[in-house]
């Protein structure tokens, strides 16, 4: 926490759907960087964007690199309620590990924030998949939170608005909605 923050305020790091659908009340959101992890479509979705029989793919924080996203500051009085909400949302199948991580906000502040990191030992950890397998899984995925293509397109669009270019999401978006932002090459085998 920085000296200007209340000690009990909670910071939450969003790198995927939390960017465009946080689902909790917050006092501020600031573009932020998390070092040591990168955004990756590395989690088979069995609940929100797929089923065990027809899994989709969702984003996880995987080891290495830097991830740009949004940091949300939650008022102290809502911290426990927010954590309970996030655990219900993110831990439906325990595929993520809840971590407190150091975040560097674009305005220069450094804070500790709650983030959900992909558990590489979990059976839903997909790792790095070939591009055509990514596309197949995303196209087939439908779960409690909707269709997997919508998740990819929404995330891509919101990252693009933030000035973040994710080549995997951009290529998938081009395949899923040709011409939407036709500035990036299509997926190759």
């Amino acid at each position: 926490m920085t000296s200007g923050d209340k000690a009990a305020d909670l910071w939450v790091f969003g790198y995927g759907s939390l960017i465009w659908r946080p689902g909790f009340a917050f006092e501020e959101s600031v573009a932020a960087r998390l070092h040591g992890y990168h955004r990756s479509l590395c989690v088979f979705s069995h609940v929100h964007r797929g089923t065990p029989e027809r899994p989709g793919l969702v984003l996880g924080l995987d080891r290495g690199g830097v991830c740009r996203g949004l940091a949300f500051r939650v008022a102290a009085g809502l911290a426990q309620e927010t954590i309970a909400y996030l655990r219900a949302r993110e831990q439906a199948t325990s595929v993520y590990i809840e971590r407190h991580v150091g975040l560097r906000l674009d305005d220069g502040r450094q804070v500790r924030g709650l983030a959900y990191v992909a558990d590489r030992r979990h059976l839903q950890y997909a790792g790095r998949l070939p591009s055509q397998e990514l596309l197949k899984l995303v196209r087939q995925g439908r779960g409690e939170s909707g269709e997997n293509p919508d998740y990819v397109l929404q995330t891509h669009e919101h990252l693009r608005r933030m000035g973040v270019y994710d080549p995997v999401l951009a290529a998938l978006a081009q395949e899923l909605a040709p011409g939407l932002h036709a500035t990036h090459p299509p997926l190759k085998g």
Side-chain angles (χ1 to χ4, degrees):
M1 304 267 167
T2 62
S3 58
D5 293 329
K6 297 175 187 172
D9 282 356
L10 170 70
W11 285 92
V12 176
F13 183 65
Y15 56 90
S17 64
L18 284 178
I19 290 173
W20 48 272
R21 190 177 60 88
F24 54 86
F26 55 91
E27 299 298 311
E28 67 176 311
S29 67
V30 183
R33 283 184 168 77
L34 171 60
H35 290 268
Y37 295 95
H38 66 280
R39 177 186 301 103
S40 176
L41 274 172
C42 65
V43 174
F44 291 116
S45 179
H46 290 177
V47 175
H48 290 290
R49 301 293 173 165
T51 65
E53 300 76 29
R54 291 181 61 82
L57 278 175
V58 291
L59 294 164
L61 288 172
D62 210 354
R63 284 185 271 189
V66 177
C67 182
R68 290 183 57 207
L70 283 181
F72 299 93
R73 184 174 59 82
V74 176
L78 296 176
Q80 291 309 310
E81 176 184 320
T82 300
I83 291 169
Y85 164 78
L86 289 169
R87 285 177 178 162
R89 174 177 168 164
E90 302 298 326
Q91 297 290 57
T93 61
S94 301
V95 69
Y96 297 106
I97 301 167
E98 188 177 272
R99 292 238 167 99
H100 291 275
V101 296
L103 301 172
R104 180 177 293 278
L105 308 185
D106 278 8
D107 64 14
R109 290 178 285 171
Q110 294 184 41
V111 300
R112 299 285 297 166
L114 188 62
Y116 290 87
V117 176
D119 182 351
R120 287 178 159 220
R121 296 167 301 169
H122 197 281
L123 67 94
Q124 286 175 248
Y125 176 73
R128 176 174 271 171
L129 297 171
S131 57
Q132 290 305 315
E133 183 68 10
L134 291 174
L135 183 59
K136 176 185 155 254
L137 288 163
V138 167
R139 279 187 170 148
Q140 80 177 14
R142 283 164 186 72
E144 290 178 8
S145 295
E147 296 189 10
N148 207 171
D150 293 340
Y151 169 88
V152 168
L153 291 168
Q154 283 276 13
T155 304
H156 167 68
E157 176 59 20
H158 282 79
L159 289 172
R160 192 184 69 74
R161 288 182 197 166
M162 290 173 56
V164 175
Y165 174 70
D166 183 304
V168 173
L169 292 179
L172 283 169
Q174 182 59 34
E175 292 290 330
L176 296 168
L180 185 65
H181 298 290
T183 58
H184 304 102
L187 287 170
K188 301 288 184 218

